[in-house]
Amino acid sequence: MTDLLLEKTLSDLEWARIEAAVAGHMKGPTAAGFVLPLAGSREATQVALDETGEALAALNLGEPLPLDGIRDIALHLLRVERHGDLDGPQLHEVRVTLGAARRLRKYLNARRPSMPRLNDACPIDPSLDRLSDTLDDAFDTEGTLADH
């Protein structure tokens, strides 16, 4: 699809209004700059609809996805990738996000038969639990770096 045709399609669909409506229901760091991608194929559209259906079914059962605690740590990871150091508050954000990832992984694994698409969409590496435990040990209950 050409850029001009895509632009017209998005305009005709009032895509900006759809994005704003979705972002209005979002929590967390991604809500501010949220961009809803247009699926590139019928199959991709079906996957997105299936994922949404699974999340909605869980919400209707009173078991919403446990997404609290997820922070935008992309800049922290980039800094580490470039061999930079993280300060206490940045390490705390990584720690909180790893804890949230663990909770989400366990939640999805326990519901794998009813949430196959979301399990596929969220391949959270269980080996990150070790790093999460190390960071948990390094912080006190208030989230500040412990003396030990």
Side-chain angles (χ1 to χ4, degrees), residues 71-86:
R71 311 279 171 83
D72 185 357
I73 60 169
L75 292 177
H76 304 338
L77 297 177
L78 182 61
R79 183 180 185 116
V80 169
E81 185 178 287
R82 293 180 177 170
H83 305 287
D85 296 328
L86 300 180

Side-chain angles (χ1 to χ4, degrees), residues 92 95 135-148:
H92 176 66
R95 171 183 163 251
L135 289 174
D136 283 343
D137 290 342
F139 285 85
D140 63 24
T141 56
E142 288 83 38
T144 56
L145 208 51
D147 291 342
H148 64 275

Side-chain angles (χ1 to χ4, degrees), residues 52-132:
T52 302
E54 291 173 9
L56 187 57
L59 187 62
N60 289 336
L61 290 172
E63 299 177 358
L65 283 99
L67 301 175
D68 289 339
I70 296 175
R71 311 279 171 83
D72 185 357
I73 60 169
L75 292 177
H76 304 338
L77 297 177
L78 182 61
R79 183 180 185 116
V80 169
E81 185 178 287
R82 293 180 177 170
H83 305 287
D85 296 328
L86 300 180
D87 62 18
Q90 292 168 330
L91 283 170
H92 176 66
E93 287 189 344
V94 171
R95 171 183 163 251
V96 169
T97 300
L98 286 172
R102 179 188 292 193
R103 286 187 299 280
L104 179 59
R105 187 189 77 243
K106 288 181 177 184
Y107 171 94
L108 290 173
N109 282 340
R111 293 158 181 82
R112 186 173 291 279
S114 63
M115 297 183 156
R117 293 289 194 176
L118 288 174
N119 268 279
D120 290 345
C122 301
I124 301 167
D125 185 353
S127 69
L128 291 173
D129 290 353
R130 188 166 169 227
L131 175 59
S132 180

Side-chain angles (χ1 to χ4, degrees), residues 1-10:
M1 188 178 296
T2 67
D3 288 342
L4 188 57
L5 183 56
L6 177 60
E7 197 173 305
K8 178 168 177 7
T9 300
L10 294 176

